Amino acid sequence: MTTLPAKTDKKLGLVIDLDTCVGCHACVISCKGWNTENYGAPLSDQNAYGADNSGTFLNRVHSYEVQPDVGAAQLIHFPKSCLHCEDAPCVTVCPTGASYKRIEDGIVLVNESDCIGCGLCAWACPYGARELDQAEGVMKKCTLCVDRIYNENLPEEDREPACVRTCPSNARHFGDLGDPDSAVSRLVAERGGMDLMPEQGTKPVNQYLPPRPKDTLPDAGPEFDVLAPFLEPIATEPKGFLSWLDKTLEKL
């Protein structure tokens, strides 16, 4: 079994804004692409173009229709990947020590050469964030693109997870959540960032920003037309050429 570090001062992780995520799956595609070509075993697909297809993904986006107490229903897009928990049960349950949490930055990783594919870590993870690669027989999970964020051969702006770099709506943010003055920590404080399933006691590093309250239409009854203000005439009396044309047509 693997033991967790007593403390990690640096806590690298993601902050995901549920208010601005549009569910485009750009993060899913970029994650699949980068992690198939770089860190660890490739992310395989089985019968990719058939009816019974399957594959390994480190990041998935789920969509839910939510009905608030007041107002219209909302469609919430919910990205999910490893949350790099402080008290990660996937690490302590691993029988070979393949799963471990780095003391220098808090990232949870899998040493694939020691993984026997038993699936205990997937069973222990309450978030369903681990997947067994069917081709390689090893457990796969989000690495926060550890081979990317420390890569000095990349331009500074590219030294962040592929999903964050790709997101077109700026819904994903990356940084040190152990530093209260970091941009991600300030964002969590300002927007009321939340743990996912805090009752599990895993203390996830990744945080979710809740959707903002939506604008509501005035209570004007069933006859209210939302487009009416934009369809009102700009001028009541024609001027210039239109005025001349109107008078000319009247004389015909």
Side-chain angles (χ1 to χ4, degrees):
M1 300 294 179
T2 311
T3 57
L4 291 163
K7 182 182 180 184
T8 60
D9 293 327
K10 195 173 185 179
K11 301 175 183 177
L12 294 183
L14 300 174
V15 174
I16 300 174
D17 192 344
L18 300 180
D19 188 62
T20 57
C21 177
V22 296
C24 66
H25 287 72
C27 57
V28 176
I29 301 304
S30 63
C31 172
K32 179 89 167 183
W34 179 265
N35 287 284
T36 294
E37 300 167 0
N38 293 279
Y39 182 90
L43 304 180
S44 69
D45 292 304
Q46 287 72 47
N47 194 25
Y49 302 103
D52 187 22
N53 52 46
S54 66
T56 307
F57 290 84
L58 309 187
N59 179 51
R60 295 179 183 269
V61 178
H62 306 275
S63 297
Y64 304 93
E65 188 173 274
V66 179
Q67 178 62 65
D69 294 335
V70 179
Q74 301 176 23
L75 185 62
I76 304 297
H77 303 290
F78 186 84
K80 186 189 68 176
S81 60
C82 173
L83 286 87
H84 301 276
C85 305
E86 291 185 53
D87 189 9
C90 59
V91 170
T92 55
V93 78
C94 180
T96 66
S99 292
Y100 64 100
K101 186 174 180 68
R102 291 167 37 128
I103 193 171
E104 60 267 35
D105 52 21
I107 299 177
V108 176
L109 294 175
V110 177
N111 185 346
E112 295 180 5
S113 62
D114 293 336
C115 179
I116 59 175
C118 66
L120 281 175
C121 57
W123 170 81
C125 174
Y127 307 109
R130 291 194 171 213
E131 298 193 11
L132 181 69
D133 189 88
Q134 296 298 320
E136 296 293 332
V138 295
M139 196 58 64
K140 306 292 293 187
K141 62 174 295 300
C142 166
T143 67
L144 284 178
C145 291
V146 68
D147 56 333
R148 182 183 174 106
I149 61 178
Y150 294 113
N151 189 345
E152 296 183 356
N153 294 319
L154 292 176
E156 184 67 32
E157 61 269 20
D158 285 333
R159 296 177 202 170
E160 59 183 6
C163 62
V164 176
R165 185 73 173 122
T166 306
C167 182
S169 62
N170 200 33
R172 304 175 75 93
H173 307 268
F174 170 70
D176 182 7
L177 287 148
D179 177 6
D181 295 322
S182 68
V184 285
S185 293
R186 294 197 302 270
L187 186 60
V188 168
E190 291 169 3
R191 290 281 307 281
M194 305 178 297
D195 289 352
L196 179 61
M197 297 165 58
E199 68 276 6
Q200 296 294 328
T202 60
K203 293 183 278 188
V205 173
N206 286 10
Q207 297 284 294
Y208 287 90
L209 305 181
R212 296 179 178 90
K214 304 302 180 185
D215 294 336
T216 56
L217 298 174
D219 186 12
E223 299 301 323
F224 176 75
D225 186 356
V226 68
L227 295 178
F230 303 101
L231 300 177
E232 294 179 357
I234 299 175
T236 56
E237 295 293 333
K239 298 180 180 180
F241 172 76
L242 292 179
S243 176
W244 172 84
L245 179 63
D246 186 55
K247 293 177 180 178
T248 301
L249 292 174
E250 285 181 354
K251 295 178 180 178
L252 296 178

